């Protein structure tokens, strides 16, 4: 037994029942009246969301001093067990980076790691040592507001980002004072909420759960994530917070997770609302038994675990196990050794020039060029450019959801950023109202329309029933584009919106997501050609709300989508295919794909697949080369394509490079008809592709 476990044994031996229960309790404390609670050892962690409501809005109350004051009280308790301060550090702390969905568009795990490394340094400088991130919920229905917080629709891409985020937050050694314990959330299936309505139930079959929803969590566990959060939802009739099979049998039994599980906000108490518990006492017993170690905010553990123990609904062993896991992570985080935060750090570690540079780079790499007729972009030889739309003076509107620590004053307002970056000689006009935009457009050489949704329209509990641009924006676009000047549409959003009618009326379009505090500057660099866009869609972009849910890795159906003839899968009034497919995105040059090579006709353990990628345009550019497979015949139906690899590569004009991927037998594995996991012999297709609907196609056998 290692040193940490011995220390935990020793501590457990000294703890009273009350102190044990205290470690499992995560209250929210408003100010200092909570100090007595801490002196009595009645809290294991504090959720530092002083007043912020589900990530909508700002609260700048976290500080090393505030945490140190609370910590001091905890250390004055009988056993002096330190607190772990948790907070939602979702896409940066003070340095606000693009939302996670945008980060996924970079297809660049290294970037995601660097972002979270910075986030960890900043958050830990104000006393936080635990973040409730990364969110790993596969989201295939853009009505669901929390699609903004995750990495999109694909399990492979999300799994790679999960590892990167865990590494970024935790590093090799999470005990370093500038690291955060990460939390993989929301375990599991939360993104499948029916109708895109947050907190709603989902029905997910066992193979889909295993092959689509669980892999990102498994990857996070393999990467050493310290904690996992149980989701709010009712999954297949069992609320995730009471699901022992998921939280214990799979998470711990199959994957060997040894950190702790925290509930979501009040999700233990809510088991009574779900109707699986009579009251809060039964709810607490169910959750503890399922494997939820810490109670976020509901207070049900604090109120009822002692009585539950007395009446035999839970056992001493169950209680001790939960306490042990919490203490284990506290030890790993080094807070027994270093409970306090150096208040000097904030001025050194927060909002550094390097952090801002990284935020700029991230914004550049995450914007997706969707359309660029006759190479309108980058804008050249234009003297008067009209910039119009609700975002022309944006500052904090660029942040996105869950940015409690972001500050509007840190942002160079969009109009100013454009002025700083536009080439000399370009005259920029700004119009925040349609009337002004219309009157100016006549005299402009080009128009840039900045449309999209306010951050408050995405994120938790911010679902929409209509994926169109917010009311009035399409009319605005139609009127201005109707004047006939070359027009660029830029969309800021926390989800893939249905921009079908808007994009048809403009010559160029950039999907900018909510790009964070350097977003305006990055956008200007892209528009004026100082940088080239390199983002690719991490989600299928729907044509209309009625297509939701939509994703590329569909099953073939007996009457496949893309074949002609009557009685094929279709809508009478809409194509079934998305407006733009998963993986899609343009840049300022073009790439050709040629010479697909497969190392062998038959896979034995591994196989390499390669192709030659050539920059056939006139500028340097970055391509995201994607590897897809299809298992043609299986004991269960298999998706028509599955992403199995990707590589970003930057090529100079005329340059060619061979991209190579290695496929292993386990990359072909899935949950088979008999419930076992593995690959099945047979024929496979393979593509090296610029997106999920194109590419060089080959075949091999297993
Ligand atoms: C959200 C979580 C979040 C928690 C703490 C909940 O409402 O679902 O994602 O981490 O609040 O703020």
């Amino acid at each position: 037994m290692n040193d940490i476990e011995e220390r935990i044994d020793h501590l457990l031996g000294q703890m009273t029942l009350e102190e044990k229960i205290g470690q499992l309790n995560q209250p929210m404390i408003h100010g200092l009246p909570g100090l007595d609670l801490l002196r009595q050892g009645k809290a294991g962690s504090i959720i530092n969301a002083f007043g912020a409501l589900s990530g909508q809005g700002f609260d700048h109350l976290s500080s090393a001093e505030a945490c140190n004051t609370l910590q001091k009280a905890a250390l004055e308790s009988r056993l002096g067990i330190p607190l772990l301060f948790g907070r939602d550090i979702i896409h940066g702390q003070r340095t606000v980076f693009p939302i996670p969905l945008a980060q996924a568009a970079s297809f660049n795990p290294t970037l995601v790691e660097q972002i979270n490394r910075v986030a960890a340094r900043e958050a830990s400088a104000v006393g936080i040592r635990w973040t409730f991130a990364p969110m790993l919920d596969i989201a295939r229905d853009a009505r669901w507001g929390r699609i903004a917080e995750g990495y999109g629709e694909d399990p492979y891409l999300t799994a790679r980002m999960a590892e990167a985020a865990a590494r970024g937050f935790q590093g090799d050694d999470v005990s370093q004072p500038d690291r955060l314990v990460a939390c993989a959330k929301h375990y599991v299936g939360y993104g499948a909420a029916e109708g895109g309505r947050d907190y709603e139930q989902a029905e997910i079959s066992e193979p889909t759960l295993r092959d689509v929803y669980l892999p990102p969590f498994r990857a996070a566990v393999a990467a050493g994530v310290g904690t996992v959060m149980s989701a709010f939802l009712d999954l297949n009739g069992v609320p995730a917070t009471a699901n022992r099979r998921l939280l214990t049998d799979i998470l711990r039994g199959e994957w060997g997770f040894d950190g702790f599980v925290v509930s979501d906000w009040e999700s233990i108490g809510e088991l009574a609302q779900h109707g699986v518990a009579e009251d809060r006492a039964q709810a607490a017993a169910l959750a503890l038994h399922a494997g939820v170690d810490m109670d976020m905010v509901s207070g049900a553990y604090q109120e009822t675990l002692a009585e539950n123990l007395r009446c035999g609904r839970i056992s001493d062993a169950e209680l001790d196990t939960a306490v042990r896991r919490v203490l284990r992570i506290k030890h790993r985080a080094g807070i027994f050794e270093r409970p306090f935060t150096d208040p000097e750090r904030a001025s050194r570690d927060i909002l550094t020039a390097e952090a801002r540079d990284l935020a700029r780079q991230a914004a550049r790499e995450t914007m997706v060029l969707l359309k660029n007729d006759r190479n309108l972009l980058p804008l050249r030889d234009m003297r008067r450019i009209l910039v119009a739309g609700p975002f022309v003076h944006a500052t904090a509107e660029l942040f996105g959801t869950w940015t409690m620590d972001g500050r509007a004053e840190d942002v160079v307002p969009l109009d100013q950023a454009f002025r700083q970056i536009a080439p000399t000689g370009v005259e920029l006009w700004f119009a925040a109202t349609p009337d002004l935009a219309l009157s100016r457009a006549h005299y402009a050489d080009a128009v840039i329309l900045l449309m999209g949704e306010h951050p408050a329209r995405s994120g938790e509990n911010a679902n929409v029933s209509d994926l169109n641009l917010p009311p009035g924006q399409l009319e605005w676009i139609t009127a201005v584009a109707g004047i006939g000047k070359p027009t660029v549409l830029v969309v800021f959003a926390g989800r893939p919106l249905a921009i079908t009618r808007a994009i048809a009326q403009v010559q160029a379009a950039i999907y900018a997501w909510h790009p964070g505090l350097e977003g305006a500057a990055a956008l200007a660099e892209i528009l004026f050609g100082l940088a080239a866009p390199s983002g690719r869609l991490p989600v299928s972009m729907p044509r209309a709300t009625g297509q939701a849910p939509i994703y590329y890795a569909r099953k073939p159906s007996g009457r496949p989508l893309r074949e002609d003839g009557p009685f094929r899968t279709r809508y009478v009034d809409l194509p079934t295919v998305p407006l733009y497919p998963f993986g899609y995105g343009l840049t300022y040059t073009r790439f050709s794909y040629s010479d697909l090579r497969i190392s062998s006709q038959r896979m034995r353990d591994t196989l390499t697949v390669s192709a030659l990628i050539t920059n056939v345009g006139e500028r340097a550019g970055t391509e995201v080369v994607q590897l897809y497979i299809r298992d043609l015949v299986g004991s269960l139906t298999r998706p028509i394509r599955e992403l199995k690899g990707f590589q970003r590569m930057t090529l100079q004009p005329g340059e060619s490079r061979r991209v190579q991927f290695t496929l292993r037998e386990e990359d072909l594995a899935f949950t088979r008809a008999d419930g076992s996991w593995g690959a099945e012999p047979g024929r496979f297709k393979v593509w090296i592709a610029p997106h999920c609907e194109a590419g060089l196609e080959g075949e091999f056998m297993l």
Side-chain angles (χ1 to χ4, degrees), residues 519-531:
L523 175 64
E525 289 178 353
I526 287 176
L527 290 167
F528 295 112
L530 277 66

Side-chain angles (χ1 to χ4, degrees), residues 149-168:
E149 296 176 50
Y151 300 113
E153 71 177 50
D154 186 68
Y156 180 85
L157 178 59
T158 303
R160 300 294 78 77
M161 295 312 193
E163 295 155 355
R167 275 196 309 271

Side-chain angles (χ1 to χ4, degrees), residues 47 88 132 146 185-186 229 232 264-265 296 402 460:
I47 180 158
D88 293 278
F132 307 121
R146 303 198 80 170
K185 75 184 187 185
H186 306 84
M229 186 185 294
F232 284 128
D264 203 348
W265 186 285
M296 181 186 281
W402 284 113
E460 187 171 350

Side-chain angles (χ1 to χ4, degrees), residues 32-103:
L32 303 181
L35 291 185
D36 281 344
L37 187 94
L38 304 181
R39 289 196 186 99
Q40 291 156 18
K42 288 189 175 162
S45 167
I46 299 295
I47 180 158
N48 252 14
F50 300 97
L53 184 67
S54 298
Q56 317 282 11
F58 303 98
D59 105 57
H60 301 146
L61 298 170
S62 300
S63 68
E65 288 84 350
C67 290
N68 286 346
T69 304
L70 302 179
Q71 191 69 291
K72 185 163 169 290
L75 295 183
E76 285 162 11
S77 64
R78 197 178 69 91
L79 293 171
I81 301 175
L83 292 163
L84 180 60
F85 295 97
R87 185 172 176 87
D88 293 278
I89 308 297
I90 306 298
H91 46 115
Q93 196 249 7
R94 178 87 173 261
T95 304
V96 179
F97 291 93
I99 54 170
L101 184 60
Q103 291 179 33

